[in-house]
Structure formats: structure tokens, C-alpha cells
Amino acid sequence: MKPWNNITSLDQLEEILNNSEQITQIIFKDSTSCGISAYAKERLQLGQSQWETQAEMNYLDLLNYRDISTKIAEQFNILHQSPQIIVLKNRKVIYTASHHNIQVDSLVFN
């Protein structure tokens, strides 16, 4: 199982965008004090074999890095939610979901 990349600086957002030109990037925004978020994270981890060959996972602890979460919402023109998953390909958002809608089977990579 590939490790998830922790997002801890704003500079990493540009790197994630650049990497999205080579392999699809997933950003998972996690509220570590929220039960729904913990459940969504668990579903993603249990289903990792279904997506790990198609994408890289980038993990954001939004309670510790709220400024990065805010920047993501602004940069990609999407409403901030938590938990939230954002899929990027070729520097564009191709899929987003939040709360109970975060399902491995629903992830879009094209």
C-alpha cells in the first residue's frame, strides 16, 4: 500500500498541480475531530487497492492547516467542506465529493 502524502505547506499545492499532469492527484481534507471524516478516511484506506494504481493520495489535516484548506477552496473555486475529496487531473478539478458521498466506487479518474 502506497503511503499518503501529507500536505503541510502552501508550496505543495503547486507541486500537486504539476504532478496532476503525470498522474491523477487526490486531495483528502480530513477534520480529525469529526466522526464522519474518520469514516470517510477509513473507506478510502480500505478501498485503496481500487485507486492506488490510478492516483496519488494527498492528505490534509485541515484542523492543523486551515490556511491550506482555505487556499484550496479559493484556488480551485470550490466550496470548503469537511471531509472532502478533490480529484485533479491535468491541473483541473475533475471530481469532488464530501461527507457521506465520499465513496471509493464513485471516484472519477478521467
Side-chain angles (χ1 to χ4, degrees):
M1 196 152 67
K2 291 192 305 190
W4 294 14
N5 305 314
N6 289 317
I7 304 171
T8 58
S9 74
L10 288 170
D11 293 337
Q12 287 174 279
L13 292 180
E14 188 61 33
E15 184 179 333
I16 290 167
L17 277 173
N18 290 337
N19 290 346
S20 77
E21 294 177 3
Q22 305 303 316
I23 185 168
T24 303
Q25 299 291 306
I26 301 171
I27 297 174
F28 176 61
K29 293 170 42 178
D30 182 20
S31 175
T32 55
S33 66
C34 171
I36 294 171
S37 197
Y39 183 62
K41 182 179 178 185
E42 180 181 22
R43 285 194 309 264
L44 291 170
Q45 289 171 324
L46 290 173
Q48 187 164 340
S49 64
Q50 295 178 44
W51 58 258
E52 74 179 342
T53 60
Q54 301 177 69
E56 290 182 344
M57 179 64 75
N58 300 280
Y59 173 83
L60 177 64
D61 174 347
L62 67 90
L63 295 182
N64 286 317
Y65 299 100
R66 181 59 190 229
D67 60 326
I68 298 173
S69 181
T70 300
K71 179 66 175 175
I72 289 170
E74 292 170 359
Q75 185 165 348
F76 300 121
N77 195 31
I78 55 176
L79 180 66
H80 161 77
Q81 297 187 59
S82 111
Q84 184 173 40
I85 195 162
I86 302 160
V87 180
L88 302 166
K89 184 170 186 166
N90 294 320
R91 303 180 71 85
K92 300 205 181 316
V93 174
I94 61 168
Y95 178 79
T96 186
S98 65
H99 299 85
H100 294 292
N101 291 325
I102 298 173
Q103 302 287 336
V104 172
D105 294 342
S106 299
L107 289 177
V108 174
F109 298 107
N110 299 325

